Amino acid sequence: ETGVTQTPRHLVMGMTNKKSLKCEQHLGHNAMYWYKQSAKKPLELMFVYNFKEQTENNSVPSRFSPECPNSSHLFLHLHTLQPEDSALYLCASATYSGSNEQFFGPGTRLTVL
Amino acid sequence: AQTVTQSQPEMSVQEAETVTLSCTYDTSESDYYLFWYKQPPSRQMILVIRQEAYKQQNATENRFSVNFQKAAKSFSLKISDSQLGDAAMYFCAYWFIQGAQKLVFGQGTRLTINP
């Protein structure tokens, strides 16, 4: 396992539920990312945070709400999701300089019923 | 906008043989990085190899090497002496140094190793 952890690893929720995904990195990085990985589609970048500031919102619907309280933690708050939001959600971290080698967490497998 | 294309959705190779995964990209920039990431089944994505565009020498990491053709915008990954543990999804990715701090990924190639 790398220094990026994600919880929970699996999540099943109804369309009216509110849940949160958590990501934590222990690598001293200052950039954190949320990606969505759906079957047969490229990884989709959702959000980028550099030094706790959101620098990228890749046209993500408002039912996904990110939060980055510090450089080590990143959350993705979910509410009123749709079945098509079912996917693997990956968190990554990197140093905001140099080669931008990103270190990924194991992902949260989300199923929306 | 930069794009990355992996034209082989699936590849298979016999154990101990060599396999090459293809990747092409589109950019107007001259200074950037290219990566190959590996995602084993139900396991974390990890970096396999990295290439800096300003370096002409192809990167090598043990059994993994790349063929970087900058003018052709091609970045293939060669895996020598394939092992069962190499079975995974492989993603090619591009990062522009001066631009937004984000990777652009290809669609991925699923590699199967036949014993």
Side-chain angles (χ1 to χ4, degrees), chain B residues 39-75:
Chain B
Q39 187 179 36
S42 301
R43 295 187 64 185
Q44 285 171 253
M45 183 121 57
I46 57 172
L47 180 68
V48 174
I49 200 165
R50 171 177 59 211
Q51 176 77 43
E52 296 155 48
Y54 66 88
K55 290 188 177 179
Q56 294 185 346
Q57 185 174 6
N58 289 324
T60 299
E61 288 287 342
N62 300 314
R63 298 182 295 107
F64 298 87
S65 61
V66 299
N67 183 4
F68 174 47
Q69 301 290 327
K70 191 172 184 180
K73 297 179 183 176
S74 171
F75 182 61

PDB file of all heavy atoms in Angstrom, chain B residues 39-75:
ATOM      1  N   GLN B  39      -2.450  -0.477 -12.903  1.00  0.00           N
ATOM      2  CA  GLN B  39      -3.513  -0.709 -11.916  1.00  0.00           C
ATOM      3  C   GLN B  39      -3.850  -2.193 -11.902  1.00  0.00           C
ATOM      4  O   GLN B  39      -4.648  -2.669 -12.712  1.00  0.00           O
ATOM      5  CB  GLN B  39      -4.751   0.121 -12.252  1.00  0.00           C
ATOM      6  CG  GLN B  39      -5.821   0.061 -11.173  1.00  0.00           C
ATOM      7  CD  GLN B  39      -7.029   0.923 -11.530  1.00  0.00           C
ATOM      8  OE1 GLN B  39      -7.407   1.024 -12.702  1.00  0.00           O
ATOM      9  NE2 GLN B  39      -7.622   1.559 -10.540  1.00  0.00           N
ATOM     10  N   PRO B  40      -3.266  -2.951 -10.975  1.00  0.00           N
ATOM     11  CA  PRO B  40      -3.593  -4.383 -10.877  1.00  0.00           C
ATOM     12  C   PRO B  40      -5.035  -4.560 -10.422  1.00  0.00           C
ATOM     13  O   PRO B  40      -5.607  -3.638  -9.814  1.00  0.00           O
ATOM     14  CB  PRO B  40      -2.603  -4.905  -9.819  1.00  0.00           C
ATOM     15  CG  PRO B  40      -1.541  -3.862  -9.723  1.00  0.00           C
ATOM     16  CD  PRO B  40      -2.222  -2.563 -10.027  1.00  0.00           C
ATOM     17  N   PRO B  41      -5.631  -5.712 -10.665  1.00  0.00           N
ATOM     18  CA  PRO B  41      -7.018  -5.935 -10.241  1.00  0.00           C
ATOM     19  C   PRO B  41      -7.190  -5.698  -8.746  1.00  0.00           C
ATOM     20  O   PRO B  41      -6.463  -6.257  -7.933  1.00  0.00           O
ATOM     21  CB  PRO B  41      -7.261  -7.408 -10.611  1.00  0.00           C
ATOM     22  CG  PRO B  41      -6.277  -7.695 -11.682  1.00  0.00           C
ATOM     23  CD  PRO B  41      -5.074  -6.853 -11.382  1.00  0.00           C
ATOM     24  N   SER B  42      -8.126  -4.840  -8.407  1.00  0.00           N
ATOM     25  CA  SER B  42      -8.474  -4.549  -7.012  1.00  0.00           C
ATOM     26  C   SER B  42      -7.291  -4.032  -6.190  1.00  0.00           C
ATOM     27  O   SER B  42      -7.265  -4.164  -4.968  1.00  0.00           O
ATOM     28  CB  SER B  42      -9.051  -5.810  -6.334  1.00  0.00           C
ATOM     29  OG  SER B  42     -10.190  -6.239  -7.041  1.00  0.00           O
ATOM     30  N   ARG B  43      -6.346  -3.445  -6.867  1.00  0.00           N
ATOM     31  CA  ARG B  43      -5.212  -2.888  -6.137  1.00  0.00           C
ATOM     32  C   ARG B  43      -4.939  -1.455  -6.602  1.00  0.00           C
ATOM     33  O   ARG B  43      -5.494  -0.992  -7.581  1.00  0.00           O
ATOM     34  CB  ARG B  43      -3.968  -3.758  -6.318  1.00  0.00           C
ATOM     35  CG  ARG B  43      -4.125  -5.153  -5.707  1.00  0.00           C
ATOM     36  CD  ARG B  43      -2.827  -5.930  -5.753  1.00  0.00           C
ATOM     37  NE  ARG B  43      -1.794  -5.302  -4.945  1.00  0.00           N
ATOM     38  CZ  ARG B  43      -0.541  -5.730  -4.902  1.00  0.00           C
ATOM     39  NH1 ARG B  43      -0.171  -6.769  -5.642  1.00  0.00           N
ATOM     40  NH2 ARG B  43       0.355  -5.127  -4.144  1.00  0.00           N
ATOM     41  N   GLN B  44      -4.054  -0.788  -5.873  1.00  0.00           N
ATOM     42  CA  GLN B  44      -3.822   0.621  -6.135  1.00  0.00           C
ATOM     43  C   GLN B  44      -3.047   0.860  -7.414  1.00  0.00           C
ATOM     44  O   GLN B  44      -2.229   0.050  -7.848  1.00  0.00           O
ATOM     45  CB  GLN B  44      -3.053   1.248  -4.963  1.00  0.00           C
ATOM     46  CG  GLN B  44      -3.922   1.464  -3.761  1.00  0.00           C
ATOM     47  CD  GLN B  44      -3.162   1.881  -2.527  1.00  0.00           C
ATOM     48  OE1 GLN B  44      -3.000   1.088  -1.606  1.00  0.00           O
ATOM     49  NE2 GLN B  44      -2.704   3.107  -2.490  1.00  0.00           N
ATOM     50  N   MET B  45      -3.311   2.001  -8.037  1.00  0.00           N
ATOM     51  CA  MET B  45      -2.578   2.453  -9.201  1.00  0.00           C
ATOM     52  C   MET B  45      -1.180   2.883  -8.763  1.00  0.00           C
ATOM     53  O   MET B  45      -1.025   3.634  -7.798  1.00  0.00           O
ATOM     54  CB  MET B  45      -3.313   3.623  -9.826  1.00  0.00           C
ATOM     55  CG  MET B  45      -2.699   4.167 -11.101  1.00  0.00           C
ATOM     56  SD  MET B  45      -3.833   4.081 -12.471  1.00  0.00           S
ATOM     57  CE  MET B  45      -5.174   5.003 -11.829  1.00  0.00           C
ATOM     58  N   ILE B  46      -0.190   2.403  -9.475  1.00  0.00           N
ATOM     59  CA  ILE B  46       1.183   2.786  -9.144  1.00  0.00           C
ATOM     60  C   ILE B  46       1.914   3.232 -10.402  1.00  0.00           C
ATOM     61  O   ILE B  46       1.596   2.806 -11.517  1.00  0.00           O
ATOM     62  CB  ILE B  46       1.957   1.623  -8.485  1.00  0.00           C
ATOM     63  CG1 ILE B  46       1.969   0.391  -9.392  1.00  0.00           C
ATOM     64  CG2 ILE B  46       1.362   1.288  -7.122  1.00  0.00           C
ATOM     65  CD1 ILE B  46       2.861  -0.718  -8.890  1.00  0.00           C
ATOM     66  N   LEU B  47       2.894   4.089 -10.208  1.00  0.00           N
ATOM     67  CA  LEU B  47       3.692   4.581 -11.320  1.00  0.00           C
ATOM     68  C   LEU B  47       4.675   3.502 -11.764  1.00  0.00           C
ATOM     69  O   LEU B  47       5.360   2.901 -10.944  1.00  0.00           O
ATOM     70  CB  LEU B  47       4.456   5.826 -10.905  1.00  0.00           C
ATOM     71  CG  LEU B  47       5.333   6.456 -11.985  1.00  0.00           C
ATOM     72  CD1 LEU B  47       4.477   7.043 -13.092  1.00  0.00           C
ATOM     73  CD2 LEU B  47       6.236   7.529 -11.379  1.00  0.00           C
ATOM     74  N   VAL B  48       4.722   3.262 -13.067  1.00  0.00           N
ATOM     75  CA  VAL B  48       5.660   2.284 -13.621  1.00  0.00           C
ATOM     76  C   VAL B  48       6.923   2.976 -14.109  1.00  0.00           C
ATOM     77  O   VAL B  48       8.046   2.562 -13.800  1.00  0.00           O
ATOM     78  CB  VAL B  48       4.996   1.508 -14.791  1.00  0.00           C
ATOM     79  CG1 VAL B  48       6.009   0.594 -15.458  1.00  0.00           C
ATOM     80  CG2 VAL B  48       3.793   0.718 -14.291  1.00  0.00           C
ATOM     81  N   ILE B  49       6.733   4.048 -14.883  1.00  0.00           N
ATOM     82  CA  ILE B  49       7.877   4.686 -15.501  1.00  0.00           C
ATOM     83  C   ILE B  49       7.495   6.105 -15.913  1.00  0.00           C
ATOM     84  O   ILE B  49       6.315   6.386 -16.167  1.00  0.00           O
ATOM     85  CB  ILE B  49       8.369   3.854 -16.713  1.00  0.00           C
ATOM     86  CG1 ILE B  49       9.808   4.185 -17.085  1.00  0.00           C
ATOM     87  CG2 ILE B  49       7.418   3.978 -17.879  1.00  0.00           C
ATOM     88  CD1 ILE B  49      10.438   3.158 -18.003  1.00  0.00           C
ATOM     89  N   ARG B  50       8.487   6.977 -15.969  1.00  0.00           N
ATOM     90  CA  ARG B  50       8.268   8.383 -16.276  1.00  0.00           C
ATOM     91  C   ARG B  50       9.300   8.831 -17.313  1.00  0.00           C
ATOM     92  O   ARG B  50      10.456   8.428 -17.266  1.00  0.00           O
ATOM     93  CB  ARG B  50       8.423   9.197 -14.998  1.00  0.00           C
ATOM     94  CG  ARG B  50       8.443  10.696 -15.186  1.00  0.00           C
ATOM     95  CD  ARG B  50       8.534  11.387 -13.847  1.00  0.00           C
ATOM     96  NE  ARG B  50       9.740  10.991 -13.125  1.00  0.00           N
ATOM     97  CZ  ARG B  50       9.812  10.939 -11.804  1.00  0.00           C
ATOM     98  NH1 ARG B  50       8.776  11.230 -11.076  1.00  0.00           N
ATOM     99  NH2 ARG B  50      10.926  10.581 -11.224  1.00  0.00           N
ATOM    100  N   GLN B  51       8.847   9.692 -18.220  1.00  0.00           N
ATOM    101  CA  GLN B  51       9.736  10.231 -19.255  1.00  0.00           C
ATOM    102  C   GLN B  51       9.586  11.750 -19.302  1.00  0.00           C
ATOM    103  O   GLN B  51       8.468  12.259 -19.373  1.00  0.00           O
ATOM    104  CB  GLN B  51       9.371   9.650 -20.636  1.00  0.00           C
ATOM    105  CG  GLN B  51      10.161  10.207 -21.805  1.00  0.00           C
ATOM    106  CD  GLN B  51      11.560   9.638 -21.899  1.00  0.00           C
ATOM    107  OE1 GLN B  51      11.771   8.445 -21.730  1.00  0.00           O
ATOM    108  NE2 GLN B  51      12.521  10.493 -22.185  1.00  0.00           N
ATOM    109  N   GLU B  52      10.712  12.451 -19.268  1.00  0.00           N
ATOM    110  CA  GLU B  52      10.686  13.895 -19.427  1.00  0.00           C
ATOM    111  C   GLU B  52      10.910  14.228 -20.896  1.00  0.00           C
ATOM    112  O   GLU B  52      11.844  13.721 -21.506  1.00  0.00           O
ATOM    113  CB  GLU B  52      11.771  14.522 -18.552  1.00  0.00           C
ATOM    114  CG  GLU B  52      11.517  14.287 -17.075  1.00  0.00           C
ATOM    115  CD  GLU B  52      12.803  14.331 -16.262  1.00  0.00           C
ATOM    116  OE1 GLU B  52      13.581  15.283 -16.456  1.00  0.00           O
ATOM    117  OE2 GLU B  52      13.030  13.423 -15.448  1.00  0.00           O
ATOM    118  N   ALA B  53      10.081  15.089 -21.440  1.00  0.00           N
ATOM    119  CA  ALA B  53      10.088  15.310 -22.883  1.00  0.00           C
ATOM    120  C   ALA B  53      11.396  15.901 -23.388  1.00  0.00           C
ATOM    121  O   ALA B  53      11.775  15.693 -24.548  1.00  0.00           O
ATOM    122  CB  ALA B  53       8.918  16.196 -23.287  1.00  0.00           C
ATOM    123  N   TYR B  54      12.097  16.634 -22.530  1.00  0.00           N
ATOM    124  CA  TYR B  54      13.322  17.265 -23.001  1.00  0.00           C
ATOM    125  C   TYR B  54      14.497  16.295 -23.027  1.00  0.00           C
ATOM    126  O   TYR B  54      15.567  16.607 -23.538  1.00  0.00           O
ATOM    127  CB  TYR B  54      13.662  18.488 -22.148  1.00  0.00           C
ATOM    128  CG  TYR B  54      14.028  18.182 -20.718  1.00  0.00           C
ATOM    129  CD1 TYR B  54      15.345  17.899 -20.356  1.00  0.00           C
ATOM    130  CD2 TYR B  54      13.064  18.186 -19.708  1.00  0.00           C
ATOM    131  CE1 TYR B  54      15.691  17.637 -19.044  1.00  0.00           C
ATOM    132  CE2 TYR B  54      13.401  17.925 -18.398  1.00  0.00           C
ATOM    133  CZ  TYR B  54      14.709  17.650 -18.058  1.00  0.00           C
ATOM    134  OH  TYR B  54      15.046  17.380 -16.759  1.00  0.00           O
ATOM    135  N   LYS B  55      14.301  15.107 -22.471  1.00  0.00           N
ATOM    136  CA  LYS B  55      15.350  14.093 -22.485  1.00  0.00           C
ATOM    137  C   LYS B  55      15.165  13.169 -23.695  1.00  0.00           C
ATOM    138  O   LYS B  55      14.103  12.598 -23.886  1.00  0.00           O
ATOM    139  CB  LYS B  55      15.322  13.270 -21.205  1.00  0.00           C
ATOM    140  CG  LYS B  55      15.766  14.035 -19.975  1.00  0.00           C
ATOM    141  CD  LYS B  55      15.896  13.106 -18.772  1.00  0.00           C
ATOM    142  CE  LYS B  55      16.409  13.857 -17.563  1.00  0.00           C
ATOM    143  NZ  LYS B  55      16.530  12.985 -16.366  1.00  0.00           N
ATOM    144  N   GLN B  56      16.199  13.044 -24.478  1.00  0.00           N
ATOM    145  CA  GLN B  56      16.115  12.187 -25.657  1.00  0.00           C
ATOM    146  C   GLN B  56      16.255  10.720 -25.296  1.00  0.00           C
ATOM    147  O   GLN B  56      15.721   9.848 -25.994  1.00  0.00           O
ATOM    148  CB  GLN B  56      17.173  12.579 -26.672  1.00  0.00           C
ATOM    149  CG  GLN B  56      16.959  13.963 -27.265  1.00  0.00           C
ATOM    150  CD  GLN B  56      17.957  14.273 -28.359  1.00  0.00           C
ATOM    151  OE1 GLN B  56      18.951  13.575 -28.505  1.00  0.00           O
ATOM    152  NE2 GLN B  56      17.677  15.300 -29.126  1.00  0.00           N
ATOM    153  N   GLN B  57      16.949  10.433 -24.211  1.00  0.00           N
ATOM    154  CA  GLN B  57      17.174   9.054 -23.826  1.00  0.00           C
ATOM    155  C   GLN B  57      15.897   8.445 -23.295  1.00  0.00           C
ATOM    156  O   GLN B  57      15.206   9.036 -22.458  1.00  0.00           O
ATOM    157  CB  GLN B  57      18.275   8.967 -22.777  1.00  0.00           C
ATOM    158  CG  GLN B  57      18.671   7.551 -22.407  1.00  0.00           C
ATOM    159  CD  GLN B  57      19.868   7.528 -21.476  1.00  0.00           C
ATOM    160  OE1 GLN B  57      20.335   8.558 -21.014  1.00  0.00           O
ATOM    161  NE2 GLN B  57      20.370   6.333 -21.200  1.00  0.00           N
ATOM    162  N   ASN B  58      15.580   7.247 -23.764  1.00  0.00           N
ATOM    163  CA  ASN B  58      14.382   6.551 -23.304  1.00  0.00           C
ATOM    164  C   ASN B  58      14.564   6.066 -21.869  1.00  0.00           C
ATOM    165  O   ASN B  58      15.597   5.521 -21.509  1.00  0.00           O
ATOM    166  CB  ASN B  58      14.091   5.351 -24.210  1.00  0.00           C
ATOM    167  CG  ASN B  58      13.604   5.768 -25.570  1.00  0.00           C
ATOM    168  OD1 ASN B  58      12.877   6.754 -25.712  1.00  0.00           O
ATOM    169  ND2 ASN B  58      13.995   5.033 -26.589  1.00  0.00           N
ATOM    170  N   ALA B  59      13.503   6.263 -21.068  1.00  0.00           N
ATOM    171  CA  ALA B  59      13.555   5.827 -19.676  1.00  0.00           C
ATOM    172  C   ALA B  59      13.478   4.307 -19.580  1.00  0.00           C
ATOM    173  O   ALA B  59      12.829   3.642 -20.402  1.00  0.00           O
ATOM    174  CB  ALA B  59      12.396   6.458 -18.898  1.00  0.00           C
ATOM    175  N   THR B  60      14.134   3.780 -18.550  1.00  0.00           N
ATOM    176  CA  THR B  60      14.144   2.335 -18.297  1.00  0.00           C
ATOM    177  C   THR B  60      14.041   2.096 -16.796  1.00  0.00           C
ATOM    178  O   THR B  60      14.695   2.789 -16.014  1.00  0.00           O
ATOM    179  CB  THR B  60      15.445   1.692 -18.823  1.00  0.00           C
ATOM    180  OG1 THR B  60      15.523   1.904 -20.232  1.00  0.00           O
ATOM    181  CG2 THR B  60      15.450   0.201 -18.544  1.00  0.00           C
ATOM    182  N   GLU B  61      13.208   1.130 -16.434  1.00  0.00           N
ATOM    183  CA  GLU B  61      13.082   0.698 -15.034  1.00  0.00           C
ATOM    184  C   GLU B  61      13.009  -0.820 -15.026  1.00  0.00           C
ATOM    185  O   GLU B  61      11.963  -1.412 -15.245  1.00  0.00           O
ATOM    186  CB  GLU B  61      11.811   1.280 -14.386  1.00  0.00           C
ATOM    187  CG  GLU B  61      11.850   2.750 -14.089  1.00  0.00           C
ATOM    188  CD  GLU B  61      12.744   3.093 -12.905  1.00  0.00           C
ATOM    189  OE1 GLU B  61      13.070   2.184 -12.111  1.00  0.00           O
ATOM    190  OE2 GLU B  61      13.118   4.281 -12.795  1.00  0.00           O
ATOM    191  N   ASN B  62      14.158  -1.440 -14.804  1.00  0.00           N
ATOM    192  CA  ASN B  62      14.241  -2.905 -14.760  1.00  0.00           C
ATOM    193  C   ASN B  62      13.685  -3.508 -16.053  1.00  0.00           C
ATOM    194  O   ASN B  62      14.221  -3.269 -17.126  1.00  0.00           O
ATOM    195  CB  ASN B  62      13.508  -3.429 -13.525  1.00  0.00           C
ATOM    196  CG  ASN B  62      14.110  -2.888 -12.247  1.00  0.00           C
ATOM    197  OD1 ASN B  62      15.319  -2.887 -12.072  1.00  0.00           O
ATOM    198  ND2 ASN B  62      13.255  -2.404 -11.350  1.00  0.00           N
ATOM    199  N   ARG B  63      12.599  -4.257 -15.982  1.00  0.00           N
ATOM    200  CA  ARG B  63      12.049  -4.919 -17.182  1.00  0.00           C
ATOM    201  C   ARG B  63      11.172  -3.990 -18.021  1.00  0.00           C
ATOM    202  O   ARG B  63      10.667  -4.404 -19.078  1.00  0.00           O
ATOM    203  CB  ARG B  63      11.235  -6.143 -16.756  1.00  0.00           C
ATOM    204  CG  ARG B  63      12.028  -7.215 -16.029  1.00  0.00           C
ATOM    205  CD  ARG B  63      11.163  -8.418 -15.686  1.00  0.00           C
ATOM    206  NE  ARG B  63      10.119  -8.082 -14.722  1.00  0.00           N
ATOM    207  CZ  ARG B  63       8.833  -7.962 -15.025  1.00  0.00           C
ATOM    208  NH1 ARG B  63       8.413  -8.152 -16.274  1.00  0.00           N
ATOM    209  NH2 ARG B  63       7.943  -7.659 -14.083  1.00  0.00           N
ATOM    210  N   PHE B  64      10.961  -2.783 -17.547  1.00  0.00           N
ATOM    211  CA  PHE B  64      10.088  -1.836 -18.234  1.00  0.00           C
ATOM    212  C   PHE B  64      10.923  -0.767 -18.942  1.00  0.00           C
ATOM    213  O   PHE B  64      11.817  -0.186 -18.335  1.00  0.00           O
ATOM    214  CB  PHE B  64       9.141  -1.169 -17.240  1.00  0.00           C
ATOM    215  CG  PHE B  64       8.204  -2.137 -16.550  1.00  0.00           C
ATOM    216  CD1 PHE B  64       8.598  -2.792 -15.396  1.00  0.00           C
ATOM    217  CD2 PHE B  64       6.940  -2.378 -17.063  1.00  0.00           C
ATOM    218  CE1 PHE B  64       7.741  -3.689 -14.760  1.00  0.00           C
ATOM    219  CE2 PHE B  64       6.076  -3.271 -16.425  1.00  0.00           C
ATOM    220  CZ  PHE B  64       6.486  -3.920 -15.286  1.00  0.00           C
ATOM    221  N   SER B  65      10.607  -0.503 -20.193  1.00  0.00           N
ATOM    222  CA  SER B  65      11.285   0.560 -20.923  1.00  0.00           C
ATOM    223  C   SER B  65      10.279   1.223 -21.857  1.00  0.00           C
ATOM    224  O   SER B  65       9.225   0.660 -22.156  1.00  0.00           O
ATOM    225  CB  SER B  65      12.477  -0.007 -21.720  1.00  0.00           C
ATOM    226  OG  SER B  65      12.025  -0.960 -22.668  1.00  0.00           O
ATOM    227  N   VAL B  66      10.623   2.426 -22.267  1.00  0.00           N
ATOM    228  CA  VAL B  66       9.734   3.140 -23.173  1.00  0.00           C
ATOM    229  C   VAL B  66      10.452   3.434 -24.476  1.00  0.00           C
ATOM    230  O   VAL B  66      11.670   3.488 -24.540  1.00  0.00           O
ATOM    231  CB  VAL B  66       9.206   4.454 -22.555  1.00  0.00           C
ATOM    232  CG1 VAL B  66       8.398   4.172 -21.295  1.00  0.00           C
ATOM    233  CG2 VAL B  66      10.337   5.426 -22.283  1.00  0.00           C
ATOM    234  N   ASN B  67       9.646   3.627 -25.505  1.00  0.00           N
ATOM    235  CA  ASN B  67      10.131   4.128 -26.791  1.00  0.00           C
ATOM    236  C   ASN B  67       9.444   5.475 -27.008  1.00  0.00           C
ATOM    237  O   ASN B  67       8.263   5.527 -27.373  1.00  0.00           O
ATOM    238  CB  ASN B  67       9.803   3.151 -27.907  1.00  0.00           C
ATOM    239  CG  ASN B  67      10.372   3.619 -29.253  1.00  0.00           C
ATOM    240  OD1 ASN B  67      11.072   4.638 -29.332  1.00  0.00           O
ATOM    241  ND2 ASN B  67      10.077   2.882 -30.299  1.00  0.00           N
ATOM    242  N   PHE B  68      10.174   6.536 -26.716  1.00  0.00           N
ATOM    243  CA  PHE B  68       9.635   7.880 -26.789  1.00  0.00           C
ATOM    244  C   PHE B  68      10.021   8.498 -28.120  1.00  0.00           C
ATOM    245  O   PHE B  68      11.207   8.710 -28.394  1.00  0.00           O
ATOM    246  CB  PHE B  68      10.169   8.707 -25.622  1.00  0.00           C
ATOM    247  CG  PHE B  68       9.794  10.156 -25.659  1.00  0.00           C
ATOM    248  CD1 PHE B  68       8.491  10.561 -25.905  1.00  0.00           C
ATOM    249  CD2 PHE B  68      10.762  11.134 -25.425  1.00  0.00           C
ATOM    250  CE1 PHE B  68       8.150  11.903 -25.919  1.00  0.00           C
ATOM    251  CE2 PHE B  68      10.426  12.485 -25.434  1.00  0.00           C
ATOM    252  CZ  PHE B  68       9.125  12.866 -25.681  1.00  0.00           C
ATOM    253  N   GLN B  69       9.032   8.790 -28.931  1.00  0.00           N
ATOM    254  CA  GLN B  69       9.239   9.417 -30.226  1.00  0.00           C
ATOM    255  C   GLN B  69       8.522  10.777 -30.192  1.00  0.00           C
ATOM    256  O   GLN B  69       7.317  10.872 -30.467  1.00  0.00           O
ATOM    257  CB  GLN B  69       8.663   8.531 -31.349  1.00  0.00           C
ATOM    258  CG  GLN B  69       9.256   7.148 -31.421  1.00  0.00           C
ATOM    259  CD  GLN B  69      10.693   7.178 -31.898  1.00  0.00           C
ATOM    260  OE1 GLN B  69      11.077   8.016 -32.713  1.00  0.00           O
ATOM    261  NE2 GLN B  69      11.500   6.255 -31.388  1.00  0.00           N
ATOM    262  N   LYS B  70       9.291  11.810 -29.848  1.00  0.00           N
ATOM    263  CA  LYS B  70       8.675  13.112 -29.603  1.00  0.00           C
ATOM    264  C   LYS B  70       8.020  13.681 -30.858  1.00  0.00           C
ATOM    265  O   LYS B  70       6.919  14.228 -30.803  1.00  0.00           O
ATOM    266  CB  LYS B  70       9.712  14.093 -29.053  1.00  0.00           C
ATOM    267  CG  LYS B  70       9.106  15.379 -28.525  1.00  0.00           C
ATOM    268  CD  LYS B  70      10.137  16.226 -27.813  1.00  0.00           C
ATOM    269  CE  LYS B  70       9.498  17.474 -27.213  1.00  0.00           C
ATOM    270  NZ  LYS B  70      10.493  18.329 -26.494  1.00  0.00           N
ATOM    271  N   ALA B  71       8.690  13.604 -31.974  1.00  0.00           N
ATOM    272  CA  ALA B  71       8.135  14.173 -33.198  1.00  0.00           C
ATOM    273  C   ALA B  71       6.853  13.461 -33.605  1.00  0.00           C
ATOM    274  O   ALA B  71       5.898  14.088 -34.078  1.00  0.00           O
ATOM    275  CB  ALA B  71       9.158  14.089 -34.320  1.00  0.00           C
ATOM    276  N   ALA B  72       6.817  12.181 -33.388  1.00  0.00           N
ATOM    277  CA  ALA B  72       5.622  11.397 -33.717  1.00  0.00           C
ATOM    278  C   ALA B  72       4.594  11.416 -32.606  1.00  0.00           C
ATOM    279  O   ALA B  72       3.483  10.902 -32.778  1.00  0.00           O
ATOM    280  CB  ALA B  72       6.021   9.960 -34.026  1.00  0.00           C
ATOM    281  N   LYS B  73       4.942  11.992 -31.459  1.00  0.00           N
ATOM    282  CA  LYS B  73       4.056  12.045 -30.291  1.00  0.00           C
ATOM    283  C   LYS B  73       3.591  10.634 -29.928  1.00  0.00           C
ATOM    284  O   LYS B  73       2.397  10.368 -29.764  1.00  0.00           O
ATOM    285  CB  LYS B  73       2.884  12.989 -30.549  1.00  0.00           C
ATOM    286  CG  LYS B  73       3.331  14.416 -30.772  1.00  0.00           C
ATOM    287  CD  LYS B  73       2.182  15.356 -31.057  1.00  0.00           C
ATOM    288  CE  LYS B  73       2.721  16.754 -31.355  1.00  0.00           C
ATOM    289  NZ  LYS B  73       1.667  17.716 -31.748  1.00  0.00           N
ATOM    290  N   SER B  74       4.578   9.793 -29.774  1.00  0.00           N
ATOM    291  CA  SER B  74       4.332   8.393 -29.447  1.00  0.00           C
ATOM    292  C   SER B  74       5.134   8.010 -28.213  1.00  0.00           C
ATOM    293  O   SER B  74       6.289   8.443 -28.055  1.00  0.00           O
ATOM    294  CB  SER B  74       4.736   7.518 -30.632  1.00  0.00           C
ATOM    295  OG  SER B  74       4.700   6.152 -30.289  1.00  0.00           O
ATOM    296  N   PHE B  75       4.540   7.181 -27.379  1.00  0.00           N
ATOM    297  CA  PHE B  75       5.166   6.838 -26.092  1.00  0.00           C
ATOM    298  C   PHE B  75       4.749   5.416 -25.733  1.00  0.00           C
ATOM    299  O   PHE B  75       3.817   5.197 -24.971  1.00  0.00           O
ATOM    300  CB  PHE B  75       4.702   7.841 -25.030  1.00  0.00           C
ATOM    301  CG  PHE B  75       5.310   7.642 -23.658  1.00  0.00           C
ATOM    302  CD1 PHE B  75       6.676   7.734 -23.471  1.00  0.00           C
ATOM    303  CD2 PHE B  75       4.508   7.411 -22.551  1.00  0.00           C
ATOM    304  CE1 PHE B  75       7.236   7.578 -22.205  1.00  0.00           C
ATOM    305  CE2 PHE B  75       5.061   7.260 -21.277  1.00  0.00           C
ATOM    306  CZ  PHE B  75       6.420   7.338 -21.111  1.00  0.00           C
TER     307      PHE B  75
END
